[in-house]
Amino acid sequence: MTPVHFSFTAAFTLGLMGLAFHRTHLLSALICLEGMMLSLFIALSLWTLQLEATAFSTAPMLLLAFSACEASAGLALLVATARTHGTDRLQNLNLLQC
Amino acid sequence: MHTTTLAMNTSLLMIFALLIFPLLTSLSPTPLHKTWAVTHVKTAVKMAFLVSLLPLFIFLNEGAETIISTWHWMNTLVFDINLSFKFDHYSIIFTPIALYVTWSILEFAFWYMHADPNINRFFKYLLLFLIAMITLVTANNMFQLFIGWEGVGIMSFLLIGWWYGRADANTAALQAVIYNRVGDIGLILSMAWFMMNTNSWEIHQMFINSQNLDLTLPLMGLILAATGKSAQFGLHPWLPSAMEGPTPVSALLHSSTMVVAGIFLLIRLHPLMENNQMALTTCLCLGALTTLFTATCALTQNDIKKIVAFSTSSQLGLMMVTIGLNQPQLAFLHICTHAFFKAMLFLCSGSIIHSLNNEQDIRKMGGMHNLAPLTSSCLTIGSLALTGTPFLAGFFSKDAIIEAMNTSHLNAWALVLTLLATSFTAVYSLRVVFFVSMGFPRFNTSSPINENNPLIINPLKRLAWGSIIAGLLITLNLLPSKTPIMTMPPLLKLSALLVSILGLLLALELASLTSKTFKALPNLPLHSFSNMLGFYPSIIHRLTPKLNLILGQKIATQMVDQTWFEKIGPKGVSSINLPMIITTNDVQKGMIKTYLTLFFLTLIMALFISII
């Protein structure tokens, strides 16, 4: 595949790995999620540019708006966790484990 | 304007003005002075009585009747309601009688309720009742009659529950309202029918427009209304319970005026009933059943006021029988004469009760003939008038009714029941007189028996005069609209007198047995039946509410709440989903990192397999 395709695919995969294998902090999972969003933004923009499909030119903006919402939701959860548990370390988030 | 018309209309409207004026003075913010009851209310009623004599004499002299339509009250496109007063021979004769009786009762009530702190309010209620009753009696249209009807019902409730701290009084007032309401269903049904089919609530128009219609349904409604208001069998228990109210209330409402409102309604609307055989038979049989049943119940009661209440109920049954015989005028005559002696009986009972320090049980009275001679004499006069002793007031109405029954083509069962009830009347009247006036006193000697107060003596004397001569006066002056049958076999003619004398002798024999004991443990099923009022209140007052409450429970609690909300509706959904949720929840252990890792590895494997 072309280098550009490889770059955002690799970025997406690395972010996914980071989300799946995050060990200590909840914040690192959220940052990986942001990285995945960023790679998807680049992918959508390249779609419009390379395939000359002007109908999709607004899609990246939409993705950005929704990712902002999602990021703020994630941050709110982080703050709530920090308030109740005192830290965002994942060892503390084991209440639902049986 | 013609003198007669002017005099009649003016005096008739003056009656209303005189009666309403004390009510208006009571609306002022300054509290009423202690003798307002006497200075304003009693004087107003006395004045109204004297004023009402003028139309009575004009009517007796010229036969003038009048209808006053004053005000077009409200209307729809095709129906209008006016304020209209009808003063025909029924209202012209009844109004002075009602006012005369009320005047005496108010004078008595001032003595009886003297120690009551709310005596002014009591008199205001009585005056309000009187105005409602006069409205009912003089109404020319059903709407005004209904206003009077409801007015007397509500005032009855307020007055029966006068001593509202007593639970029995509240129950009795509630009974009165509920039983009256059941009767009101019939009245409203009839009013709706008349509104739809005869296009009017004016009585004349109703008569004219309904000549060719089948009137069974509205007449049944009217009979139901009379059953409720006049305590006929089926809706009768409220009347003896209403004795919880003070004695003036019993004398005014539940003997002379309010309870006759149902009969008066049937008398007013009698032209509708003349040709409907079913309605007439219903009245006849219902009245006969009522008069015998309540006379039976009166035989074994021990409370003097309850005996008189049952006696009232029995006489109301007799009036209903008379209407069933197609003789409204005789029924009206009986209403008028009955007012006098029944009110007097209640006033005598009130005087005796107060003298004996609120003792109402006749088994604890006795010898009053020597201790309160005027009261017991009036009691005797009233009882004699009630049983139809020749040429006292009751004779003219009662004997005429029994004669009409004997010579009419009617139900033999109704005739037998009525004659039996007439003899029972003599029995319980003698029982009252025997236990109260005769013999030796059976009460403590500590209560001062003093009847020398003119507030007691004058009403009793006035009503005694009325009980003696009223029958004669009214019969002499009223022309009968139906020809009475003048010739009949002597046994038929004397039947009322014979059964009364028979009852009297039987009662004397039974009374003489009170000082001898035949059996130590007598077997008393009939006595229990009569004493417990035929078990009617015991059964109906428990069964009907229980059935209604069970129905309510089944519909409201079980059907709606339990079934619809909890089993089928929202809670049912949640109760079905909850086990599934719990099962699913047990499966998941919340190990997010493991899940995400597995997801990632599966994704990589899928990619590799698709590449290779």
Side-chain angles (χ1 to χ4, degrees):
Chain A
M1 57 171 83
T2 59
V4 192
H5 287 171
F6 176 73
S7 64
F8 69 72
T9 314
F12 185 83
T13 316
L14 280 174
L16 187 58
M17 278 172 62
L19 185 61
F21 300 130
H22 62 279
R23 278 177 149 275
T24 20
H25 288 281
L26 185 60
L27 190 57
S28 47
L30 292 176
I31 293 177
C32 291
L33 217 50
E34 286 305 299
M36 286 162 71
M37 281 297 127
L38 200 55
S39 66
L40 287 174
F41 173 78
I42 293 176
L44 273 181
S45 317
L46 282 176
W47 185 352
T48 314
L49 286 171
Q50 294 208 330
L51 299 179
E52 310 275 347
T54 48
F56 296 110
S57 47
T58 54
M61 290 309 295
L62 283 172
L63 179 67
L64 215 53
F66 282 121
S67 96
C69 300
E70 167 219 322
S72 55
L75 279 174
L77 279 173
L78 183 70
V79 170
T81 315
R83 282 218 180 123
T84 52
H85 291 265
T87 161
D88 69 338
R89 281 179 165 268
L90 290 169
Q91 299 148 351
N92 289 340
L93 297 176
N94 57 357
L95 274 181
L96 286 177
Q97 266 185 345
C98 18
Chain B
M1 207 176 169
H2 192 213
T3 334
T4 312
T5 326
L6 188 62
M8 277 200 86
N9 292 346
T10 316
S11 44
L12 291 165
L13 290 177
M14 269 299 282
I15 297 175
F16 275 100
L18 280 168
L19 290 177
I20 292 179
F21 173 69
L23 287 183
L24 296 176
T25 59
S26 77
L27 286 175
S28 68
T30 59
L32 305 164
H33 57 272
K34 275 188 298 218
T35 51
W36 172 84
V38 166
T39 54
H40 278 76
V41 180
K42 197 191 78 169
T43 321
V45 172
K46 189 158 81 168
M47 287 293 122
F49 165 65
L50 293 172
V51 166
S52 73
L53 286 179
L54 181 60
L56 178 66
F57 291 149
I58 295 178
F59 169 73
L60 292 177
N61 190 23
E62 302 180 9
E65 305 177 353
T66 172
I67 294 179
I68 309 174
S69 285
T70 55
W71 182 39
H72 186 99
W73 193 342
M74 56 181 103
N75 66 327
T76 65
L77 277 175
V78 296
F79 189 82
D80 50 349
I81 297 177
N82 308 312
L83 199 64
S84 170
F85 300 96
K86 174 172 179 157
F87 291 99
D88 63 342
H89 59 288
Y90 291 136
S91 348
I92 289 185
I93 297 181
F94 186 75
T95 309
I97 292 177
L99 288 169
Y100 183 75
V101 170
T102 311
W103 171 27
S104 307
I105 291 175
L106 286 180
E107 204 173 326
F108 176 82
F110 188 62
W111 168 76
Y112 194 81
M113 306 292 288
H114 190 73
D116 196 317
N118 294 322
I119 186 172
N120 285 332
R121 193 178 346 143
F122 186 73
F123 272 68
K124 191 163 78 167
Y125 285 177
L126 284 177
L127 189 61
L128 209 52
F129 164 79
L130 184 64
I131 294 173
M133 188 70 204
I134 306 271
T135 312
L136 196 157
V137 163
T138 59
N140 194 24
N141 58 353
M142 297 297 290
F143 190 67
Q144 213 168 313
L145 191 137
F146 189 66
I147 292 176
W149 187 273
E150 292 295 302
V152 298
I154 288 296
M155 295 325 291
S156 167
F157 169 75
L158 289 173
L159 284 166
I160 295 175
W162 179 253
W163 290 314
Y164 53 80
R166 201 179 138 82
D168 281 341
N170 288 331
T171 316
L174 205 58
Q175 256 183 307
V177 165
I178 292 178
Y179 277 117
N180 270 328
R181 257 295 170 250
V182 175
D184 287 352
I185 296 174
L187 185 61
I188 296 179
L189 172 75
S190 310
M191 281 169 69
W193 193 96
F194 282 121
M195 182 193 227
M196 287 196 307
N197 289 305
T198 62
N199 189 32
S200 175
W201 274 343
E202 302 282 326
I203 293 186
H204 301 286
Q205 199 173 336
M206 273 159 54
F207 290 167
I208 293 175
N209 282 349
S210 61
Q211 272 168 354
N212 295 323
L213 300 173
D214 178 25
L215 290 167
T216 315
L217 180 64
L219 288 174
M220 287 298 136
L222 290 174
I223 294 174
L224 180 63
T227 312
K229 186 67 84 176
S230 296
Q232 302 297 307
F233 183 75
L235 298 177
H236 66 279
W238 69 270
L239 189 53
S241 304
M243 297 298 117
E244 291 285 336
T247 306
V249 169
S250 308
L252 185 55
L253 273 73
H254 306 119
S255 63
S256 337
T257 34
M258 181 188 126
V259 290
V260 297
I263 306 287
F264 195 85
L265 175 73
L266 290 179
I267 291 177
R268 263 270 191 259
L269 299 177
H270 188 81
L272 298 171
M273 274 176 64
E274 276 175 329
N275 301 318
N276 192 322
Q277 197 53 47
M278 178 160 180
L280 290 175
T281 314
T282 313
C283 282
L284 189 71
C285 297
L286 183 65
L289 181 61
T290 306
T291 179
L292 182 64
F293 182 77
T294 49
T296 314
C297 292
L299 290 176
T300 55
Q301 297 298 311
N302 294 317
D303 183 351
I304 188 174
K305 283 180 70 174
K306 281 217 167 35
I307 298 180
V308 186
F310 276 114
S311 154
T312 307
S313 209
S314 185
Q315 298 303 305
L316 290 169
L318 187 67
M319 294 175 206
M320 190 65 124
V321 163
T322 325
I323 291 182
L325 283 177
N326 237 337
Q327 304 272 7
Q329 274 211 327
L330 287 182
F332 178 72
L333 180 63
H334 198 55
I335 288 179
C336 296
T337 54
H338 175 259
F340 286 104
F341 51 77
K342 199 44 69 71
M344 186 166 73
L345 282 175
F346 268 112
L347 259 48
C348 294
S349 336
S351 168
I352 293 172
I353 290 170
H354 240 48
S355 317
L356 298 182
N357 198 20
N358 298 332
E359 180 56 65
Q360 289 187 264
D361 195 331
I362 56 173
R363 299 173 291 191
K364 293 190 195 162
M365 302 175 186
M368 294 304 288
H369 193 65
N370 298 315
L371 301 165
L374 183 72
T375 307
S376 57
S377 310
C378 290
L379 189 72
T380 314
I381 294 176
S383 301
L384 286 175
L386 173 61
T387 56
T389 310
F391 311 121
L392 291 182
F395 168 75
F396 292 97
S397 47
K398 222 171 165 185
D399 203 65
I401 293 174
I402 305 279
E403 269 181 34
M405 280 192 83
N406 275 328
T407 55
S408 302
H409 181 71
L410 84 167
N411 196 329
W413 175 80
L415 176 61
V416 168
L417 256 55
T418 312
L419 285 174
L420 206 54
T422 313
S423 69
F424 282 178
T425 309
V427 174
Y428 61 68
S429 298
L430 179 82
R431 187 163 177 266
V432 169
V433 170
F434 177 75
F435 275 97
V436 171
S437 318
M438 295 161 63
F440 293 102
R442 294 181 289 278
F443 49 87
N444 291 333
T445 51
S446 51
S447 53
I449 301 176
N450 185 357
E451 55 170 18
N452 282 324
N453 199 333
L455 286 174
I456 316 173
I457 293 179
N458 289 336
L460 282 179
K461 278 200 282 197
R462 277 201 294 269
L463 288 175
W465 279 117
S467 306
I468 296 172
I469 61 175
L472 180 63
L473 282 181
I474 301 177
T475 322
L476 284 178
N477 289 313
L478 252 191
L479 281 176
S481 54
K482 296 182 204 274
T483 325
I485 297 185
M486 295 294 186
T487 58
M488 60 193 90
L491 188 63
L492 252 49
K493 180 91 181 156
L494 296 171
S495 58
L497 198 57
L498 282 177
V499 292
S500 299
I501 293 179
L502 204 64
L504 186 71
L505 293 173
L506 199 64
L508 279 171
E509 176 66 29
L510 285 172
S512 72
L513 285 177
T514 55
S515 52
K516 311 171 186 90
T517 317
F518 282 148
K519 288 189 197 177
L521 301 169
N523 185 16
L524 299 170
L526 288 176
H527 177 92
S528 304
F529 180 81
S530 169
N531 202 15
M532 294 295 291
L533 316 180
F535 301 108
Y536 185 94
S538 323
I539 296 175
I540 299 289
H541 291 172
R542 293 178 193 181
L543 187 66
T544 324
K546 179 178 166 187
L547 289 177
N548 277 326
L549 288 173
I550 288 178
L551 182 72
Q553 184 185 43
K554 282 203 166 41
I555 293 183
T557 308
Q558 289 176 351
M559 214 171 85
V560 177
D561 272 351
Q562 255 181 19
T563 313
W564 193 243
F565 287 155
E566 294 199 5
K567 299 284 180 218
I568 299 178
K571 284 204 184 167
V573 172
S574 74
S575 65
I576 291 175
N577 281 329
L578 210 54
M580 298 197 289
I581 292 173
I582 293 174
T583 317
T584 319
N585 210 10
D586 284 339
V587 171
Q588 287 210 351
K589 300 249 185 253
M591 298 182 292
I592 306 235
K593 280 199 283 191
T594 319
Y595 299 153
L596 279 175
T597 316
L598 277 174
F599 165 69
F600 182 73
L601 288 175
T602 318
L603 185 63
I604 299 295
M605 253 198 286
L607 276 173
F608 278 152
I609 289 174
S610 69
I611 288 177
I612 294 172

